[in-house]
Amino acid sequence: MKKTYNIEVDCANCANLMEEATRKTNGVKSATISFMTQKMRVEFEDGEDEEAVMKNVLKACKKIEPDCEIEL
């Protein structure tokens, strides 16, 4: 399943680092973050709980940019 989220990210480099961290999160098949549109697209592994995975994604992103927000 693929979902798109609004994300608040301050710079393109942070977006790249957060994209990499998101891809490494358990339950995520693929991820892309667009700094220009402030959108995050996540494809989940089959059978994964989207809400639980996104909580872990948010934790990973906040390690890179503490004021990051993802509209879940």
Side-chain angles (χ1 to χ4, degrees):
M1 168 181 26
K2 291 183 183 178
K3 298 256 334 214
T4 302
Y5 301 91
N6 292 324
I7 186 169
E8 194 173 304
V9 59
D10 294 337
C11 71
N13 185 52
C14 292
N16 287 336
L17 293 172
M18 292 182 346
E19 183 178 300
E20 197 174 301
T22 299
R23 287 183 182 146
K24 292 179 181 177
T25 304
N26 287 336
V28 174
K29 193 173 193 176
S30 67
T32 56
I33 296 177
S34 171
F35 170 68
M36 295 300 289
T37 62
Q38 300 282 297
K39 300 280 185 193
M40 169 189 261
R41 183 172 197 119
V42 180
E43 183 176 0
F44 300 94
E45 296 283 352
D46 292 335
E48 289 293 333
D49 178 16
E50 168 198 339
E51 190 175 320
V53 171
M54 286 308 295
K55 284 182 182 178
N56 291 330
V57 166
L58 182 58
K59 284 181 193 175
C61 289
K62 283 191 175 281
K63 287 180 183 176
I64 295 159
E65 189 173 301
D67 61 345
C68 165
E69 291 298 327
I70 301 173
E71 290 182 26
L72 301 178

